[in-house]
Amino acid sequence: MIPARFDYHRPGDIAAALAILGEHGDEARVIAGGHSLIPMMKLRMADLGHLVDLQDIAELRGIVVEGGTVRLGAMVTQAELIASAELARAAPLVREAALQIADPQVRYCGTVGGNVANGDPGNDMPGLMQCLGATFHLAGPGGERSVAARDYYEAAYMTAREDDEILTAISFAVPAGGYAYEKQKRKIGDYATAACAALVTMEGGRCTAASIAMTNLSDVPVWSEAAGAALVGTNCDAEAVSAAVEAAKADIDPTEDNRGPVDFKRHVAGVMIRRAIERAVSRA
Amino acid sequence: MGKQHYQITVNGEPQDVLAEPRELLIHTLREQLRITGPHIGCETSHCGACTVDIDGRSVKSCTVFTAQVAGKEITTVEGLGSPDAMHPLQEAFREHHGLQCGYCTPGMITRAYRLLQENPSPTEEEVRFGMAGNLCRCTGYQNIVKAILAAAAEMNASKEAAE
């Protein structure tokens, strides 16, 4: 499988990359780890004239935990997320989710920026970033702007990013409380049949904050405000967790595909949501 | 954009290759450099038969353009050992019957090499998790896991003996 011809660019900084995007418009696409884009190019489902490789742009790298905020450069790979002791201390939820993405080879290449930017509903990081209430940082010809992760996704592969913008970084507050990312997949390397990220804070036996988000259960990642609200103020007993699961399930809209019919996906979603909440509570 | 010159180092030897930007590394290795250890299995980033080591990372060479690896060091199974001087992993795969048809083996060994560089004494579970990007349709994996654990023990023993 050989992709169609393209011109290859490897700019050294964000300004140079933006200039290439500006010159070639929607003919140009940036490539990070390439493990979503190259397979699509090989299938000739992605058609582009100019490939802009971001690997030499140092500004897009690095994990910084400072002043209660985590900042992930867009080109940080899943393997780097997993290997970072600092990130594991500040936000172990990210490491737990990254370990469930694809396989070792893909995790060496796949980046957190690529995973959140392209709008594939199957990707795990978009749901995770809903849960964390992250902010995405974009650079474009007009300068920089920020978009809340919860406002970024419009439909499958449709996002708030304009064609001439590059997603440069992701930031979020160091999360408190217990955490879990639970994913059901048919086999290693597969996208989720259903997955759920949960953050739960308990104080004196009462839940004071909860954030629940889901992967691959709609054409966009789903953050269920109602599921979190169903937990807050309770002691997260079986009844409260069941109410949260039902609330989360009311917010999803799975479609039938080769991972199963809608009823099956709703069932698996319920199991994943319950497991994620229960494990987050057990760690809170 | 027509063919470009790309400098890569393969198994310690600098190579200047002329390739279109759309050429995948697996094709440069196999068809231009005649390094045929890395195999084309699925061509869809799933099976791991094309796994090579690029600057200390295991990469499926069917899912990277040669243009992307210009300036980098690539190691294939040929770079790990030879029939006369096999790498402990190669020896262990032979000894423990870690292959049947052999098609997945170069990818298995190249991936296992990096796994043991990062984790010289893995548990069985860590081997299985670390090898999850390589598919084998013959062995059922049992003897592959056995071979990698044996190679790890052998490599640790010879490292200790050398110290």
Side-chain angles (χ1 to χ4, degrees):
Chain A
M1 291 194 292
I2 308 215
R5 288 194 175 80
F6 57 84
D7 285 5
Y8 175 81
H9 307 263
R10 203 196 278 192
D13 56 41
I14 291 172
L18 289 172
I20 298 164
L21 293 184
E23 187 182 341
H24 299 291
D26 62 7
E27 276 280 281
R29 284 282 296 274
V30 299
I31 184 166
H35 276 51
S36 297
L37 184 56
I38 293 175
M40 296 300 275
M41 292 170 72
K42 287 164 69 174
L43 293 167
R44 308 256 174 151
M45 289 168 78
D47 185 23
L48 53 92
H50 296 267
L51 192 65
V52 185
D53 187 345
L54 303 178
Q55 67 170 299
D56 282 352
I57 304 180
E59 305 152 81
L60 298 178
R61 297 198 175 270
I63 299 170
V64 180
V65 182
E66 208 172 61
T69 300
V70 177
R71 187 181 186 282
L72 307 174
M75 289 293 282
V76 171
T77 64
Q78 312 296 353
E80 288 167 342
L81 293 177
I82 292 164
S84 168
E86 197 179 20
L87 185 65
R89 275 193 301 273
L93 174 62
V94 177
R95 183 172 191 274
E96 180 159 295
L99 280 165
Q100 297 179 59
I101 294 175
D103 63 44
Q105 282 93 321
V106 176
R107 291 194 293 266
Y108 283 112
C109 291
T111 65
V112 65
N115 197 282
V116 301
N118 82 353
D120 183 339
N123 286 350
D124 293 283
M125 288 290 163
L128 188 77
M129 295 305 163
Q130 311 294 301
C131 181
L132 287 163
T135 301
F136 297 164
H137 303 274
L138 304 169
E144 295 178 12
R145 69 183 179 111
S146 301
V147 180
R150 291 172 192 166
D151 296 331
Y152 182 79
Y153 299 95
E154 294 164 356
Y157 302 102
M158 302 286 285
T159 69
R161 187 185 61 82
E162 301 293 338
D163 282 341
D164 57 2
E165 289 182 311
I166 296 171
L167 191 147
T168 57
I170 297 151
S171 63
F172 52 86
V174 170
Y179 65 92
Y181 192 73
E182 289 282 349
K183 178 177 178 178
Q184 165 64 36
K185 53 192 173 184
R186 296 172 301 177
K187 61 178 181 63
I188 289 288
D190 194 18
Y191 293 110
T193 302
C196 179
L199 282 168
V200 177
T201 306
M202 304 286 287
E203 279 171 35
R206 294 272 146 192
C207 173
T208 54
S211 180
I212 311 297
M214 290 151 284
T215 293
N216 220 11
L217 290 166
S218 176
D219 67 340
V220 290
V222 176
W223 179 62
S224 177
E225 195 169 5
L231 294 172
V232 171
T234 75
N235 59 358
C236 292
D237 59 9
E239 193 185 336
V241 172
S242 292
V245 170
E246 289 312 310
K249 284 174 73 176
D251 284 339
I252 61 175
D253 184 22
T255 50
E256 178 170 342
D257 60 18
N258 54 13
R259 291 181 189 84
V262 170
D263 285 350
F264 174 70
K265 288 188 170 186
R266 296 191 71 86
H267 170 72
V268 177
V271 175
M272 292 300 112
I273 297 161
R274 180 177 299 278
R275 283 186 191 169
I277 294 172
E278 287 178 348
R279 204 146 57 86
V281 170
S282 76
R283 287 164 160 173
Chain B
M1 193 179 270
K3 290 188 173 180
Q4 309 285 311
H5 284 277
Y6 297 113
Q7 274 79 40
I8 56 178
T9 302
V10 185
N11 299 328
E13 295 208 10
Q15 303 279 359
D16 180 285
V17 298
L18 196 57
E20 284 186 71
R22 65 173 170 165
E23 185 164 307
L24 295 158
L25 178 58
I26 186 67
H27 296 305
T28 302
L29 292 172
R30 290 182 59 85
E31 289 155 30
Q32 293 212 43
L33 302 176
R34 298 289 172 190
I35 293 170
T36 54
H39 289 166
I40 300 175
C42 68
E43 263 198 288
T44 55
S45 334
H46 289 95
C47 79
C50 65
T51 298
V52 300
D53 202 76
I54 303 177
D55 283 355
R57 305 181 306 163
S58 303
V59 176
K60 294 175 183 176
S61 61
C62 78
T63 312
V64 60
F65 295 117
T66 300
Q68 292 174 283
V69 301
K72 297 188 193 297
E73 298 220 8
I74 296 150
T75 304
T76 69
V77 71
E78 286 92 340
L80 296 178
S82 66
D84 299 330
M86 289 207 285
H87 187 277
L89 272 162
Q90 293 170 314
E91 190 63 53
F93 268 66
R94 192 179 66 108
E95 181 68 26
H96 293 273
H97 202 58
L99 62 148
Q100 287 180 28
C101 85
Y103 201 85
C104 70
T105 313
M108 286 283 175
I109 288 177
T110 311
R111 170 55 197 150
Y113 167 77
R114 180 52 47 197
L115 173 65
L116 296 186
Q117 294 294 306
E118 294 181 352
N119 182 359
S121 303
T123 62
E124 179 182 335
E125 196 185 340
E126 286 167 343
V127 169
R128 289 183 182 277
F129 189 77
M131 296 300 297
N134 294 75
L135 302 183
C136 173
R137 301 288 82 171
C138 304
T139 64
Y141 301 101
Q142 190 58 35
N143 288 350
I144 292 173
V145 174
K146 220 186 272 177
I148 294 169
L149 289 168
E154 169 61 29
M155 288 163 74
N156 290 335
S158 45
K159 199 172 147 200
E160 262 174 44
E163 276 165 7

